[in-house]
Amino acid sequence: MNWGSWDAFWAMGGYGLYVWGSYAMVAAVLAVEVWMLRSRQRAAASEVVRQAARSQATEGARSKA
Amino acid sequence: MTTSTAAPRYNLYWFASPQTFYPLAGKLVPWFAGLAVVLTLIGLFWAAIGLAFNTRLSSMMATAIAPTGALMTFLALWTGALWGRPTWGAYWVWDARLTSELILLFLYLGFIALQAAIDDRRRADKAGAVLAIIGVINVPIIYFSVKWWNTLHQGASVSVKGSSMATTMLWGMLIMALAFWMYAIAATLYRVRTIILERERRADWVRELAAREAIK
């Protein structure tokens, strides 16, 4: 079976809601998880960098004193 | 093999038709379910190792797998509902397979909530490990639910001996199952890196990474 038009493609032979509903939820869930993974990793990495900078500053001040 | 249409095997357009795709989408559902179950087993494995040997990384692995497992379980339930409506006439029935899968989702959420509720990391790890070990009892129940209870859900379509699916559908399903496996592994490894950074941020090796700007 081929589709004569875009409408026919989206309709999926009357099963459009079920087919596209599945695709949409999978895409949404994966997109949200990837976004959450990235933002959490960035937050953790910047926290490490900030702490390293802070401890270097304290060590520098201590060695001068 | 039940190939109902007489289309040539190498015609890609045949694979793109709703008529063939529709059951294929339905057949994807058990793979999400299977993925969720196997992720549980892996999570349990790390939890048990962490509990027995007190190794930090194994608890981190268990923590890292849980959210992806919960999402995959949710997708299994969601796509299963959308498949069940036109096939069975209902989005949801209190069938043995569906109900045990729903319990799996609650176990994942319980695991995540329990770990989040305990401030002391090592205590949280231990509590989570115990819950995972108890929760694993659900895995064989899900697997055998279609055999033990004669409710609505059909038996397994694919086994080691063979499959009751059309060849194109079987290939589509295997490829998609592999794809989701790779995604789940990637997401888990990414998350465990973050957890390592969060927990070991005072360790020397992490500071050296930061000094070399190699954290990413």
Side-chain angles (χ1 to χ4, degrees), chain A residues 2-54:
Chain A
N2 287 313
W3 298 285
S5 66
W6 279 106
D7 281 349
F9 174 71
W10 293 117
M12 277 284 156
Y15 293 118
L17 174 68
Y18 309 115
V19 173
W20 300 120
S22 299
Y23 268 103
M25 186 51 79
V26 171
V29 163
L30 296 193
V32 167
E33 188 181 23
V34 167
W35 178 77
M36 285 174 70
L37 282 170
R38 286 184 62 169
S39 55
R40 187 174 167 186
Q41 170 71 10
R42 281 182 185 164
S46 64
E47 175 63 27
V48 167
V49 171
R50 208 178 309 133
Q51 264 193 7
R54 203 185 303 143

Side-chain angles (χ1 to χ4, degrees), chain B residues 121-171:
Chain B
R121 271 307 350 154
R122 297 186 80 76
R123 277 171 161 268
D125 284 345
K126 283 189 178 170
V130 171
L131 179 62
I133 287 168
I134 297 168
V136 83
I137 192 76
N138 197 30
V139 170
I141 293 177
I142 292 174
Y143 183 77
F144 290 112
S145 59
V146 289
K147 286 186 184 168
W148 289 346
W149 297 289
N150 194 15
T151 43
L152 191 54
H153 201 288
Q154 72 279 10
S157 315
V158 182
S159 71
V160 189
K161 288 176 206 144
S163 133
S164 55
M165 295 164 66
T167 314
T168 37
M169 263 190 263
L170 182 66
W171 277 108

Side-chain angles (χ1 to χ4, degrees), chain B residues 111 114-129:
Chain B
F111 179 89
L114 181 67
Q115 287 216 321
I118 302 174
D119 285 334
D120 185 338
R121 271 307 350 154
R122 297 186 80 76
R123 277 171 161 268
D125 284 345
K126 283 189 178 170

Side-chain angles (χ1 to χ4, degrees), chain A residues 1-3 12 15 18-19 21-23 25-26 29-30 33-34 37-38 40-41 44-45 47-48 51 55, chain B residues 13 16-18 21 68 71 74-75 78 82 85-86 180 183 190-191 194-195 198 201 206-207 215-216:
Chain A
M1 188 168 112
N2 287 313
W3 298 285
M12 277 284 156
Y15 293 118
Y18 309 115
V19 173
S22 299
Y23 268 103
M25 186 51 79
V26 171
V29 163
L30 296 193
E33 188 181 23
V34 167
L37 282 170
R38 286 184 62 169
R40 187 174 167 186
Q41 170 71 10
E47 175 63 27
V48 167
Q51 264 193 7
S55 71
Chain B
Y13 289 110
S17 87
F21 174 80
T68 301
L71 286 176
F74 169 73
L75 284 181
W78 178 273
L82 287 177
R85 180 76 181 99
F180 276 95
Y183 170 80
Y190 196 99
R191 190 178 287 110
T194 307
I195 293 173
E198 284 171 359
R201 60 179 185 273
V206 174
R207 288 186 181 186
I215 283 190
K216 284 252 171 91

